């Protein structure tokens, strides 16, 4: 693994170093590898350049988004230092920044924040028999930039940003220009894949010049599946057992195909100088036909699975369908000494699915499937003041309110036709319309960061956030049809509050050098413990046997919130012309009170534990350059060691493994790109290559399910003739088929692999 990483980095440096070693073009400060204009970010809730931001921030601008054909999170997050991303399908994904992850496929209380503009879209996964961890993934059409904030963001962004935050910033309406674009893309995925296509369009229309404008975006993305279901021709033991109960199986191709339909409309009104109002609504629906996992019981080397049919009398197949409606209204007033912003958001995310369960334990679950539904509703209001004072003191302060509802139906149903006999009797006890639960969390926070510059090169920033969570279960029923069975947690209410701190010291002696040191905290809302069922504790002594063979006492009520303390130092530099830039960051994180879910034996009910502690240390490096001859190069790499602590609780959770590597946390990742821009008979053209490396990592705390350790190469080329854009591209050029995740919730041989090589063309028209 290390040799692959070193070799890859060496090749990348050889690839980019000749360009980065030169810096003779003093025509102006340019942002390397991101386009000709330096990207302005708002990670500190005020506009700053990347080089003047006192923290570890990476940004991807609109030009690079278009040239690299970036559509979803899976296309770009692996290329950011210190970031790992695991894709398991529609609404099922995990973002890991700086190793802060437990690999949970259940908890929606994720340790990484995810935002679309001002709107949080974290924790909006799909209910699949409890497998609900994930984030909504609005597609990357008409996007201004992506910001990846590494390290805890608890002061300004609040709960959930322990490892960091990902912010996708859409373009706003332009008040003076009529503009638009139409584009289409066709590609083909190798192996068992097939044709894919994308169409999208955007139009910007000033209604009243300099005062009122609208911007409309629409898109359709179809990605074909690359897994074949061979349940009929190559049945496993689980398929054969289910057939005895009348459960049907059939062969079908392109399992996991998804169709995404989206629309975004925004309107901006500036009635007077300094005052603006902007409203935006996003609709996105993703329909996925089956799940893109492979079944290692069928083949460990091919893209195959063996999955029976679902639905009553085997009338359907596995699927997942999600719908996102997101609305945001921003009122902003600026004057000479500051800006006041009020942002109001409402998110409605709905998901439903069928997911076969028979592979877990044929004797008790053959012919059963999860018919899950999940509804998320989130209301957020934030009022924020950003000063623009003359003098040494600046301030960002605000108040925040969030009302989040998560309503889940987790049904287990039967797809067979045999309803008598001992085999069916064993299965019938697992069937049920429930549980149904609605978890409501109301959050209030007041926050502020004060920056004091006693003399020009030195700035001290001190920040704090007071937070309070009110958590309740207005609905919790183990069965919601007659006879209704109410869970003891229905009516549960509890509150918790606390303070989150940050201190940052930045030093900028000149335009070429920027240094900072920081201590920052992050936090998450506490986890509500599930109610202990007598089936799991027949003796009534509170001691329960878990699937790892260990007996544990379950902590009742509300668990302690988990927190991180991160100590970080950074050095940013640029050449005198600004055409070559870079940064080097080192950090150490202490993570305490991690909530981890364990499953009981034999019922496999989940209970939460504060699993002790974890330590993460690492280094991140980024460098990019705009160089003579219209060459643009970029290189980044990171090293981290994220390990569970050696206290008794942590060792028990990891199966006694000391310094167990946290799931989804590769020790190394690296990225390099090289782009050449040139003219063909006066027409702008480019060709670029991108390389990504992800080292090995595990899928659970027991250090099993080892995946990763792969390189991926991509090529893109394009030319603009008048207003017409033509391009060709290839993703996963060498057709790597490495594993990216092994299911750690239900097991049964289900795992996920890289999408095979995909080659395509695109055409667009701007006006």
């Amino acid at each position: 693994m290390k040799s692959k990483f070193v070799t890859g980095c060496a090749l990348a440096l050889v690839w980019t170093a000749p360009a980065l070693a030169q810096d003779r073009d003093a025509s102006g400060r340019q942002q390397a590898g991101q386009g000709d204009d330096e990207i302005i970010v708002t990670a500190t809730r005020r506009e700053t350049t990347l080089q003047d931001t006192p923290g570890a921030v990476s940004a991807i601008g609109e030009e690079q988004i278009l040239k690299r054909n970036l559509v979803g999170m899976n296309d770009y997050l692996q290329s950011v230092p210190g970031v790992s991303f695991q894709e398991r399908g529609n609404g099922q994904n995990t973002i890991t920044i700086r190793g802060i992850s437990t690999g949970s496929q259940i908890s929606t209380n994720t340790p990484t924040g995810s935002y679309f503009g001002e709107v949080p879209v974290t924790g909006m996964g799909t209910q699949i028999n409890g497998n609900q961890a994930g984030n909504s993934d609005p597609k990357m059409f008409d996007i201004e930039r992506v910001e990846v904030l590494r390290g805890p963001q608890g002061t300004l962004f609040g709960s959930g940003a322990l490892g960091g935050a990902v912010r996708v910033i859409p373009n706003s309406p332009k008040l003076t220009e009529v503009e638009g674009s139409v584009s289409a893309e066709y590609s083909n995925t190798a192996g068992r894949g097939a044709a894919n296509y994308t169409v999208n369009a955007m139009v910007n229309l000033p209604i009243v010049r300099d005062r009122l404008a609208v911007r409309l975006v629409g898109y359709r993305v179809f990605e074909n599946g690359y897994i074949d279901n061979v349940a009929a021709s190559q049945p496993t033991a689980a398929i054969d057992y289910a057939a005895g109960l009348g459960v049907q199986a059939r062969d079908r191709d392109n399992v996991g195909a998804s169709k995404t339909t989206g629309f975004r409309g925004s309107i901006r009104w500036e009635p007077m100088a300094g005052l603006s109002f902007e409203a935006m609504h996003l609709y996105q629906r993703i329909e996925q036909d089956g799940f893109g996992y492979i079944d290692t019981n069928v083949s460990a080397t091919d893209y195959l699975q063996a999955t029976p049919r679902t639905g009553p009398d085997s009338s359907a197949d596995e699927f997942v369908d999600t719908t996102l409606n997101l609305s945001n209204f921003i009122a902003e007033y600026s004057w000479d000494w500051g800006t006041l912003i009020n942002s109001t958001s409402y998110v409605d995310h709905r998901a439903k699915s069928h997911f076969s369960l028979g592979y877990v334990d044929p004797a008790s679950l053959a012919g059963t499937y999860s018919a899950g539904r999940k509804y998320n509703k989130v209301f957020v209001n934030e009022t924020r003041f950003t000063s623009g004072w003359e003098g040494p003191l600046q301030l960002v302060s605000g108040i925040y309110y969030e009302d989040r509802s998560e309503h889940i139906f987790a049904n287990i149903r039967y797809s067979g036709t045999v309803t008598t006999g001992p085999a069916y009797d064993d299965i019938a006890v697992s069937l049920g319309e429930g549980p149904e639960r609605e978890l409501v969390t109301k959050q209030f926070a007041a926050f502020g960061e004060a920056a004091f510059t006693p003399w020009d090169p030195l700035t001290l920033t001190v920040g704090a956030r007071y937070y309070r969570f009110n958590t309740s279960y207005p609905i919790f029923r183990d069965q919601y049809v007659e006879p209704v069975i109410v869970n003891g947690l229905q009516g549960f209410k509890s509150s918790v509050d606390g303070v989150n701190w940050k201190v940052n010291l930045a030093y900028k002696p000149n335009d070429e050098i920027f240094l900072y040191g920081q201590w920052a905290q992050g936090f998450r809302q506490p986890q509500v413990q599930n109610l202990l069922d007598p089936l799991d504790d027949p003796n009534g002594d509170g001691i329960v046997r878990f699937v790892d063979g260990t007996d544990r006492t379950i902590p009742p009520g509300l668990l302690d919130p988990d927190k991180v303390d991160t100590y970080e130092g950074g050095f940013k530099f640029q050449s005198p012309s600004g055409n070559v830039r870079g940064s080097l960051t080192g950090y150490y994180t202490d993570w305490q009170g991690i909530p981890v879910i364990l499953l009981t034996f034999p019922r496999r009910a989940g209970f939460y534990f504060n699993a002790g502690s974890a330590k993460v240390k690492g280094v991140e490096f980024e460098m990019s350059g705009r160089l003579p001859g219209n060459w643009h190069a970029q290189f980044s790499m990171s090293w981290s060691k994220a390990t569970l602590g050696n206290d008794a609780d942590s060792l028990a959770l990891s199966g006694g493994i000391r310094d167990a590597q946290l799931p989804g946390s590769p020790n190394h990742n690296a990225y390099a790109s090289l782009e050449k821009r040139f003219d063909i008979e006066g027409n702008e053209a480019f060709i670029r290559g991108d390389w990504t490396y992800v080292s090995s990592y595990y899928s659970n705390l027991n250090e099993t399910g080892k995946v990763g350790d792969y390189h991926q190469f991509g090529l893109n080329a394009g030319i603009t003739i008048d207003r017409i854009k033509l391009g060709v591209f290839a993703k996963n050029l060498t057709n790597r088929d490495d594993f990216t995740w092994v299911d750690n919730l239900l097991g049964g041989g289900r795992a996920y692999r890289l999408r095979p090589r995909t080659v395509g063309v695109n055409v667009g028209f701007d006006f």
Side-chain angles (χ1 to χ4, degrees):
M1 179 188 71
K2 290 184 178 180
S3 61
K4 290 183 180 180
F5 176 68
V6 172
T7 301
C9 289
L11 289 172
L13 286 171
V14 169
W15 186 11
T16 59
L20 294 176
Q22 303 177 63
D23 182 34
R24 302 170 185 166
D25 183 358
S27 60
R29 298 189 180 276
Q30 312 289 342
Q31 174 60 30
Q34 306 285 1
D36 288 340
D37 296 323
E38 185 172 25
I39 295 177
I40 302 298
V41 297
T42 54
T44 59
R45 295 301 196 184
R46 63 172 71 243
E47 292 186 348
T48 59
T49 66
L50 280 174
Q51 293 302 112
D52 291 338
T53 302
V57 181
S58 297
I60 304 173
E62 184 172 19
E63 183 174 349
Q64 191 173 160
I65 291 171
L66 294 172
K67 286 183 174 180
R68 291 172 58 187
N69 288 291
L70 306 182
V71 176
M73 290 181 176
N74 198 39
D75 293 327
Y76 65 87
L77 282 179
Q78 300 280 30
S79 67
V80 178
V83 180
S84 174
F85 183 75
Q86 289 81 43
E87 176 71 68
R88 300 184 299 276
N90 179 6
Q92 303 164 76
N93 54 61
T94 301
I95 307 171
T96 302
I97 299 180
R98 290 186 171 176
I100 303 298
S101 171
T102 61
S104 175
Q105 296 176 205
I106 295 179
S107 176
T108 58
N109 190 14
T110 60
T112 300
S114 180
Y115 297 82
F116 189 79
E118 292 279 338
V119 187
V121 291
T122 310
M124 296 183 186
T126 303
Q127 170 59 26
I128 305 171
N129 195 51
N131 189 347
Q132 58 191 350
N135 303 276
S136 185
D137 187 12
K139 301 307 179 185
M140 304 274 288
F141 297 105
D142 195 41
I143 299 300
E144 178 184 328
R145 68 184 184 276
V146 177
E147 299 178 9
V148 181
L149 288 57
R150 302 191 298 279
Q153 307 295 320
T155 305
L156 293 181
F157 290 90
S159 173
L162 284 80
V166 177
R167 304 179 66 214
V168 177
I169 313 296
N171 281 312
S172 292
K174 297 180 180 179
L175 299 177
T176 59
E177 301 178 31
V178 176
E179 64 177 8
S181 64
V182 180
S183 64
E185 176 182 297
Y186 174 85
S187 64
N188 192 277
T189 299
R192 299 184 182 276
N196 320 284
Y197 69 85
T198 298
V199 292
N200 69 90
M202 179 277 293
V203 62
N204 185 94
L205 297 172
I207 306 301
V208 179
R209 187 175 178 82
D210 297 323
R211 288 286 183 263
L212 181 68
V214 297
R215 195 174 185 95
L216 304 175
V217 181
Y219 53 89
R220 165 69 62 83
V221 180
F222 177 76
E223 288 187 306
N224 226 318
Y226 49 90
I227 309 292
D228 286 355
N229 186 352
V230 292
S233 59
Q234 299 182 48
T236 61
I239 296 293
D240 288 336
Y241 193 97
L245 292 165
V247 179
Q248 297 180 19
R250 65 167 181 165
D251 288 353
R252 62 193 193 106
D253 301 335
N254 308 124
V255 175
S258 66
K259 179 175 67 176
T260 302
T261 304
F263 168 82
R264 188 173 78 246
S266 53
I267 181 169
R268 183 175 179 86
W269 179 37
E270 295 186 7
M272 56 183 287
L275 179 64
S276 66
F277 302 94
E278 186 168 332
M280 182 265 291
H281 182 79
L282 167 68
Y283 165 85
Q284 179 174 283
R285 182 181 181 185
I286 304 179
E287 301 166 86
Q288 182 176 302
D289 181 16
F291 293 88
Y293 56 80
I294 72 153
D295 187 343
T296 57
N297 296 309
V298 179
S299 173
T301 59
D302 204 348
Y303 287 78
L304 300 173
Q305 64 175 239
T307 305
R309 305 204 73 194
T310 63
D313 299 328
S314 302
S315 58
D317 292 299
E318 289 186 326
F319 74 90
V320 58
D321 190 338
T322 63
T323 302
L324 173 68
N325 279 283
L326 180 154
S327 300
N328 180 228
F329 177 78
I330 298 174
E332 179 175 347
Y333 182 66
S334 299
W335 57 100
D336 292 342
W337 49 274
T339 300
L340 185 66
I341 295 177
N342 180 270
S343 173
T344 302
S345 307
Y346 181 74
V347 181
D348 186 320
H349 183 264
R350 299 168 181 260
K352 59 183 179 180
S353 65
H354 278 189
F355 185 76
S356 177
L357 298 173
Y359 69 96
V360 178
D361 182 5
S364 61
L365 292 172
T368 66
Y369 64 98
S370 166
R373 289 174 288 156
K374 181 183 176 188
Y375 308 119
N376 286 97
K377 295 182 179 180
V378 184
F379 172 82
V380 175
N381 183 269
E382 178 173 295
T383 299
R384 186 170 68 246
F385 170 73
T386 304
S387 70
W389 302 326
E390 294 183 2
L393 182 65
Q394 299 295 337
L395 178 69
V396 175
S397 63
I399 56 174
Y400 179 89
Y401 175 77
E402 177 181 302
D403 187 341
R404 179 182 292 262
S405 169
E406 181 181 274
H407 199 164
I408 291 173
F409 297 81
N411 312 309
I412 297 181
R413 296 175 179 167
Y414 183 55
S415 57
T417 56
V418 175
T419 56
T420 59
Y424 175 76
D425 293 340
D426 291 340
I427 291 167
V429 298
S430 301
L431 305 177
E433 298 297 304
E436 174 199 6
R437 68 178 186 269
E438 182 183 15
L439 176 65
V440 175
T441 302
K442 297 182 179 181
Q443 178 187 167
F444 169 79
F447 61 91
E449 285 191 0
F452 178 63
T453 305
W455 64 90
D456 191 33
L458 190 70
T459 300
L460 174 66
T461 301
V462 178
R465 187 183 190 98
Y466 168 79
Y467 58 87
R468 180 180 178 85
F469 295 98
N470 297 321
T471 303
S472 64
Y473 268 124
I475 299 174
F476 203 134
R477 299 183 286 193
D478 292 330
Q479 182 165 296
Y480 60 85
V481 298
E482 294 296 335
V484 174
I485 302 173
V486 176
N487 188 287
L489 281 177
Q490 182 160 301
F492 171 88
K493 293 182 179 180
S494 186
S495 299
V496 67
D497 64 353
V499 178
N500 188 90
W501 294 95
K502 171 184 172 182
V503 178
N504 183 288
L505 186 64
Y507 178 68
K508 185 180 180 181
N510 52 53
D511 288 341
E512 284 76 48
I513 296 175
F514 186 92
L515 299 164
Y516 74 90
Q518 178 175 280
W519 164 60
Q521 294 183 314
F523 66 97
R524 280 192 297 182
Q525 66 187 66
Q527 179 67 50
V528 180
Q529 183 61 277
N530 294 327
L531 193 68
L532 183 58
D533 193 295
L535 293 174
D536 293 307
D537 183 22
N539 298 327
D541 58 3
I543 300 175
V544 176
R545 176 67 56 87
F546 285 80
V547 292
D548 63 355
T550 303
D551 293 334
R552 295 184 176 88
T553 300
I554 296 175
L558 205 60
L559 272 67
D560 295 329
D562 58 325
K563 298 180 180 181
V564 299
D565 287 89
T566 295
Y567 308 88
E568 176 178 328
F571 168 58
K572 299 186 179 185
F573 57 90
Q574 63 182 16
S575 63
S577 71
N579 287 332
V580 175
R581 290 186 168 94
S583 66
L584 178 66
T585 308
Y587 63 90
Y588 173 80
T589 298
D590 183 10
W591 188 10
Q592 297 288 336
I594 308 169
V596 174
I597 195 163
L598 296 178
L599 302 179
T600 62
F601 178 84
R603 206 171 65 92
R604 304 182 74 86
F607 292 92
Y608 292 93
F609 292 83
N610 287 113
S613 64
K615 313 293 183 184
V616 187
K617 54 186 176 182
V619 178
E620 299 157 346
F621 174 75
E622 291 183 279
M623 191 171 183
S624 53
R626 178 182 182 271
L627 306 149
N630 267 333
W631 285 98
H632 296 249
Q634 194 171 1
F635 175 74
S636 67
M637 62 179 292
S638 66
W639 170 86
S640 70
K641 185 177 182 181
T643 57
L644 203 61
N646 289 325
D647 53 278
D649 288 342
S650 299
L651 288 172
L653 287 165
S654 64
I657 300 173
R658 301 183 68 86
D659 297 320
Q661 184 177 340
L662 294 182
S665 305
N667 292 128
H668 314 284
N669 75 344
Y671 169 75
S673 68
L674 186 62
E675 178 180 330
K676 170 66 174 178
R677 301 178 186 178
F678 52 95
D679 289 343
I680 299 178
E681 297 184 357
N683 300 304
E684 294 182 357
F686 77 93
I687 184 170
R688 65 175 291 142
D690 295 87
W691 165 78
T692 303
Y693 174 73
V694 178
S695 70
S696 62
Y697 55 94
Y698 296 99
S699 301
N700 56 49
L701 288 167
N702 303 104
E703 292 197 343
T704 59
K706 191 174 185 179
V707 294
D709 192 19
Y710 59 82
H711 301 263
Q712 283 201 96
F713 293 89
L715 285 176
N716 288 271
I719 185 172
T720 301
I721 304 174
D722 293 328
R723 296 181 177 180
I724 299 175
K725 296 182 177 181
L726 303 173
V728 296
F729 65 91
K731 298 182 179 182
N732 191 9
L733 188 63
T734 56
N735 205 28
R736 294 295 295 260
D737 61 356
D738 301 78
F739 287 94
T740 59
W741 193 252
V742 175
D743 191 293
N744 64 28
L745 179 62
L746 298 173
R750 297 195 178 195
Y752 299 83
R753 307 177 80 165
L754 292 171
R755 186 179 188 88
R757 179 175 52 240
T758 300
V759 179
V761 298
N762 49 53
V763 58
F765 177 74
D766 294 340
F767 58 91

